Amino acid sequence: MPDPVSRRSALRRLAGAVAVAAAATGPFAAPADARTATGASRRVEDLLARLTLDEKIGLLHGADDPHSLGQAGYVPGVPRLAVPALRLADGPAGVRVTEHATALPAPVLLAAAFDPALAREYGEVIGREGRALGQDVLLSPMVNLIRTPYAGRNYETFSEDPLLSADLVAEEIRGIQSQGLIATVKHFALNNQEQDRMSVDVRIAQQPLRELEFRAFEAAVAAGAGAVMGAYNKVNGTFACENKPILGDVLRGDWGFDGWVMSDWQAAHSTAAALTAGLDMEMPSGDHFADALKQAVRSRSLPEALVDRSARRVLSVMERFGLLDGSAPARPERDPRAGARTALKVAKAGATLLHNRHATLPLTGQAAHHIAVIGPTGAIPFVSGGGSAHVVAAQVRSPLDALRVRAGEDARVSYALGEDIFGKPLPGASPGADFEGRHIAPGATWTYDAPLTVDEPDEWTFYIHYSGDRPKASLDGTELFPPAPGLGESFAGGFVSAAPDGLAVRRRTLDLDAGPHRLRITAKGGDKGQVFRLRRTTGATRAADVAEAVRAARAAASVVLFAYEDATEGADRTGLALPGHQNELIEAVAAANSRTTVVLNTSSSTTMPWLDHTGAVLQMYYPGQEGAEATAAVLFGDCDPGGRLTQTFPASDTLHPVAGDPHRYPGVDGTEEYSEGVHLGYRWYEAEGVAPLFPFGHGLSYTTFEYSGLTVRPEDDGLAVGFTVRNTGSRTGTTVAQVYLGPSPDLSLDQAHRALAGYRRLELEPGRARRVTVRVSTRSLSSWDPARHGWVLGTGTREVTVGVSAREQRLTGRGRVRSREAAGRP
């Protein structure tokens, strides 16, 4: 019979509390003997007693920063009592302020390395830079699971797998906070899509909620995260930021979280319900936690003790990090070189080779000496995604430049645009209608109203580039660039939304009939003046660009074609295909040169109808400021592609866990159902017998590896899985050994057919072998039983496999799982 682990559940909760306490006894903690009955220190309690109600409430909501550094949020503090202000900065892939910062690779690329130690180093860079740039709180990391391939922020998080996400977020938080910066894990919970994120009601059963989405948040709490950010969406009928079952019962009660909970920006919806449930801070202002909160306390509809509780939590974290007594370490100087080294290291480690036919990569011989580089992201570096994850580095090299340097002076590296994403000058304008770099003086208004003649029916894409308020442009009375819905105006992407010279860009595609059309433009200079451009592409210009790329491909020994997809906060993707006409470009180029490598700068999974016609596909996601150098190093074989997929790539838009079921995504009548249960990501493909394009864990090396000698033995309440890995090729290379676990025969609960239970990243020289032991924890062997409200150990004989992806298993064995009681242990 399965062990109900009611006793062990209590021990686990105690262990979690000990872990949090241990995290709080580091260099930023108050002495243990100074703690009071509330759990706070005497210093905090004394300070709390001296604060007025207005001052306490002032700690519980954001305000305008009189000396803003361009950060996302600000809490003014209490100058009278030397309580400092807090500055809160976005930072999934680097600190987002007006100053330059290290633009690290996107978290999904970090995750592809399957390396928790590297996640800690990544966090250390952000933590050090955050403090150097005047910040106190980092609004990161994000650990919502990748559930739908359409989600616009998949690149900001880690994985579809809860174990990998938990391991990585714990180490990143330790890295961030080791530098004295407070980390905020987000978004609690189930913010797994951008569509309707402000209102959608996510309905999920307790077992998948505990086993999947909650696992990484629980790990973040155990790692000592100072803050948690509540999500926009509802969870089982109640907004996350006023949801007592998740904020009070789970986060505080089960996990023992003693930091503070802040809302996502404009995610608070109430005063009494939110504060009572466990929300401590409303951001970025005080619609509900300022005057409304004061009135509720004054009218005695809310006890002041609840205000004290939240203020105590904020002050306790500040004390832990040395912000109340001046014991925090001095702010360091930025170290751009150290940041760049880590950015390069992460980009190399996470580079994922998906496809490599006929040894197209690495580039050697003639293929390395005559290269055609094609695609807009070959000449313009794609650094980061849009929205709160966008970071602008001081200097970034393009892949074209990096490849030219790496290929050497004797090599020939040509370039062709292939796909124009910023438009070509508009022809046929009347005299005086200069649409290229038109300057509008401050306070001035420029207007244009004249015919635009189209020679033949065609698809036109109009582009407006602008530096101030977006000019109004209409064609035949139809507005070309209307305001974007939702947050589209604020979060418009990280690459295609800005021209190389920094002007903002918007696009509109229309099918135009031949003949005259009426073009009207009104552009205002505003207070500072502005410059704008109006451009276009057509079917004819696209055909010319493709023809140029094909000529370059035919003339070269090899092709490196850069393809992109620009995701952003605030909007989900509408499909899995590459945007624009990139698929047609790849087909044409690959037909002209079979040694075509496609480098993908995309946020998430992508369909590839051209896959069988290409030589290689290298997934680089959004690779950060050192992405060009890392890409060149992998293409030329200076390092092995070390990444593995942390999400499944579907074969099509109709073959993935939420395809064809609007109740699962994006929701029906405001409600979304996680009816797949525990079968998230690769687990669904296994359960349904659906073959993906590329499975979770997939990634190729430039060498080969042999796995042998599997042993599985009990160890405490877990399993120790041993095996030997040997590099059987001629190059030093990287493999990620993945241990998967089958279901327990003793549990009647729903279980995955195969779930990741452990992994090990290995780098081996040619001919070298290493004996590896991967330990499978009690948690990975357990399931959440809603009836018992606890974890139950999955006892019995369990299948254990070792593979290099969720679908490619190299070794198969079995292990006997017994509870302590059944084994006769105390």
Side-chain angles (χ1 to χ4, degrees):
M1 293 291 293
D3 177 7
V5 292
S6 56
R7 178 176 62 84
R8 289 199 346 268
S9 179
L11 291 174
R12 179 192 55 73
R13 295 180 189 181
L14 176 61
V18 170
V20 171
T25 56
F28 311 111
D33 60 0
R35 299 286 161 185
T36 67
T38 65
S41 69
R42 292 192 183 94
R43 178 189 295 116
V44 167
E45 291 299 335
D46 290 345
L47 183 58
L48 195 60
R50 296 164 63 194
L51 291 171
T52 67
L53 177 61
D54 285 339
E55 288 170 338
K56 287 184 285 191
I57 289 175
L59 295 173
L60 307 186
H61 64 84
D64 291 333
D65 186 350
H67 307 290
S68 178
L69 302 172
Q71 78 280 358
Y74 174 78
V75 177
V78 185
R80 179 178 70 85
L81 296 176
V83 177
L86 292 174
R87 288 185 167 88
L88 303 84
D90 290 319
V95 183
R96 187 172 183 255
V97 293
T98 52
E99 299 293 325
H100 290 306
T102 299
L104 292 161
V108 71
L109 181 54
L110 166 69
F114 278 73
D115 188 347
L118 189 59
R120 182 166 189 143
E121 182 178 334
Y122 186 97
E124 288 169 352
V125 169
I126 298 177
R128 181 172 60 249
E129 292 209 342
R131 295 207 69 244
L133 292 167
Q135 304 305 298
D136 307 292
V137 182
L138 184 77
L139 306 174
S140 183
M142 173 180 173
V143 291
N144 301 106
L145 296 180
I146 297 176
R147 175 178 179 261
T148 167
Y150 303 121
R153 301 180 80 174
N154 281 348
Y155 66 95
E156 285 191 57
T157 192
F158 297 122
S159 175
E160 67 187 25
D161 182 78
L163 169 65
L164 180 61
S165 297
D167 290 347
L168 296 175
V169 74
E171 288 307 308
E172 184 179 344
I173 285 172
R174 292 185 178 105
I176 292 166
Q177 297 193 158
S178 72
Q179 306 302 303
L181 191 69
I182 300 167
T184 306
V185 64
K186 64 182 187 183
H187 311 81
F188 193 61
L190 299 166
N191 184 181
N192 305 118
Q193 67 187 59
E194 293 301 280
Q195 184 166 337
D196 301 324
R197 67 174 180 170
M198 309 292 284
S199 60
V200 68
D201 182 7
V202 180
R203 300 299 178 103
I204 185 172
Q206 287 300 306
Q207 185 188 355
L209 181 61
R210 291 278 188 161
E211 293 182 16
L212 302 178
E213 178 81 356
F214 275 1
R215 185 167 186 174
F217 285 101
E218 185 177 1
V221 169
V228 170
M229 181 185 290
Y232 286 117
N233 50 278
K234 296 176 183 177
V235 177
N236 290 330
T238 304
F239 279 110
C241 286
E242 54 189 53
N243 193 309
K244 186 179 182 297
I246 67 172
L247 294 182
D249 300 345
V250 176
L251 183 65
R252 300 286 184 190
D254 291 351
W255 301 345
F257 177 63
D258 61 358
W260 88 79
V261 178
M262 71 180 78
S263 73
D264 204 339
W265 271 223
Q266 288 90 37
H269 293 270
S270 63
T271 301
L275 191 69
T276 302
L279 185 70
D280 302 306
M281 181 182 289
E282 178 188 7
M283 294 302 294
S285 56
D287 293 344
H288 303 283
F289 273 30
D291 292 343
L293 179 54
K294 181 178 178 179
Q295 178 60 33
V297 173
R298 292 297 190 208
S299 67
R300 298 190 177 182
S301 61
L302 265 180
E304 189 171 349
L306 288 180
V307 174
D308 291 349
R309 182 182 70 175
S310 291
R312 181 182 295 114
R313 290 166 176 170
V314 175
L315 291 170
S316 293
V317 176
M318 293 178 69
E319 180 190 43
R320 173 180 152 195
F321 283 80
L323 299 177
L324 295 183
D325 62 0
S327 63
R331 292 191 184 273
E333 295 292 325
R334 262 198 78 217
D335 189 344
R337 291 184 179 179
R341 286 194 296 270
T342 297
L344 179 61
K345 182 178 179 181
V346 172
K348 288 180 178 178
T352 306
L353 185 60
L354 300 178
H355 172 70
N356 195 21
R357 187 178 59 167
H358 305 313
T360 297
L361 294 180
L363 298 174
T364 58
Q366 186 61 20
H369 285 84
H370 190 181
I371 306 169
V373 176
I374 296 171
T377 45
I380 306 169
F382 200 148
V383 176
S384 61
S388 58
H390 188 58
V391 180
V392 180
Q395 187 173 359
V396 184
R397 179 184 292 182
S398 73
L400 176 61
D401 290 340
L403 287 168
R404 282 175 171 162
V405 170
R406 177 57 186 82
E409 294 181 358
D410 295 337
R412 179 184 174 190
V413 180
S414 62
Y415 175 73
L417 179 62
E419 173 92 348
D420 192 341
I421 61 173
F422 296 116
K424 303 184 188 303
L426 197 66
S430 61
D434 178 13
F435 297 134
E436 278 296 297
R438 168 152 301 269
H439 292 266
I440 313 298
T445 299
W446 182 85
T447 60
Y448 176 83
D449 186 341
L452 174 68
T453 301
V454 174
D455 294 333
E456 58 185 28
D458 203 348
E459 178 189 273
W460 281 53
T461 298
F462 290 91
Y463 305 76
I464 188 86
H465 302 207
Y466 55 98
S467 62
D469 292 334
R470 187 174 67 252
K472 293 185 177 180
S474 65
L475 189 73
D476 300 332
T478 298
E479 178 111 20
L480 286 176
F481 311 105
L487 296 174
E489 292 292 320
S490 302
F491 302 119
F495 175 74
V496 300
S497 64
D501 61 358
L503 296 188
V505 178
R506 286 283 300 277
R507 297 164 180 79
R508 178 72 178 277
T509 299
L510 299 169
D511 290 323
L512 298 186
D513 295 329
H517 297 264
R518 197 77 187 178
L519 179 64
R520 293 184 173 91
I521 303 172
T522 301
K524 296 182 178 181
D527 295 336
K528 299 179 180 179
Q530 77 157 313
V531 61
F532 84 91
R533 296 185 287 261
L534 185 66
R535 292 180 172 180
R536 63 79 174 95
T537 56
T538 67
T541 68
R542 283 192 295 274
D545 287 336
V546 171
E548 179 193 10
V550 167
R551 287 193 296 271
R554 284 178 178 153
S558 62
V559 175
V560 180
L561 192 157
F562 288 83
Y564 75 90
E565 172 262 321
D566 191 22
T568 184
E569 178 180 357
D572 282 347
R573 303 161 67 193
T574 57
L576 302 183
L578 292 170
H581 298 268
Q582 293 182 94
N583 281 344
E584 295 94 317
L585 171 65
I586 295 171
E587 290 279 11
V589 169
N593 190 323
S594 62
R595 294 187 65 88
T596 293
T597 295
V598 178
V599 178
L600 292 171
N601 292 130
T602 56
S603 68
S604 189
S605 55
T606 304
T607 52
M608 306 178 195
W610 34 260
L611 181 66
D612 291 340
H613 303 145
T614 59
V617 179
L618 178 64
Q619 178 69 51
M620 292 299 297
Y621 299 104
Y622 303 154
Q625 68 180 51
E626 306 300 318
E629 284 74 11
T631 301
V634 173
L635 291 174
F636 279 87
D638 300 336
C639 64
D640 207 40
R644 302 297 182 265
L645 290 181
T646 66
Q647 59 191 300
T648 308
F649 276 34
S652 76
D653 278 272
T654 62
L655 294 171
H656 57 77
V658 301
D661 188 345
H663 291 276
R664 287 188 180 180
Y665 175 85
V668 175
D669 296 330
T671 299
E672 182 181 40
E673 300 172 2
Y674 280 37
S675 56
E676 69 271 24
V678 300
H679 303 288
L680 176 75
Y682 64 89
R683 304 168 183 221
W684 179 87
Y685 289 87
E686 182 75 17
E688 298 295 324
V690 174
L693 181 64
F694 295 113
F696 172 91
H698 172 74
L700 304 176
S701 169
Y702 292 148
T703 186
T704 55
F705 294 92
E706 177 185 83
Y707 285 67
S708 63
L710 176 64
T711 61
V712 183
R713 59 180 175 81
E715 185 176 80
D716 297 327
D717 278 350
L719 295 173
V721 180
F723 51 92
T724 299
V725 182
R726 181 182 300 277
N727 183 342
T728 55
S730 58
R731 302 170 56 98
T732 297
T734 298
T735 187
V736 176
Q738 301 158 43
V739 175
Y740 291 88
L741 185 68
S744 162
D746 296 340
L747 291 182
S748 59
L749 297 166
D750 196 13
Q751 299 175 73
H753 291 247
R754 181 177 291 131
L756 185 71
Y759 54 90
R760 182 70 55 81
R761 179 185 176 90
L762 299 167
E763 182 177 301
L764 294 174
E765 296 174 351
R768 296 294 298 274
R770 186 177 303 171
R771 186 70 185 172
V772 175
T773 300
V774 173
R775 288 174 173 80
V776 179
S777 69
T778 305
R779 170 58 62 84
S780 292
L781 291 163
S782 301
S783 296
W784 180 265
D785 188 341
R788 305 186 188 193
H789 194 73
W791 294 96
V792 291
L793 186 64
T795 55
T797 301
R798 312 278 299 261
E799 182 180 78
V800 176
T801 58
V802 179
V804 292
S805 79
R807 293 180 69 87
E808 187 178 346
Q809 304 302 311
R810 300 288 182 85
L811 304 171
T812 301
R814 283 174 170 75
R816 180 72 177 168
V817 179
R818 296 184 294 173
S819 67
R820 285 180 179 270
E821 288 77 4
R825 294 193 297 269

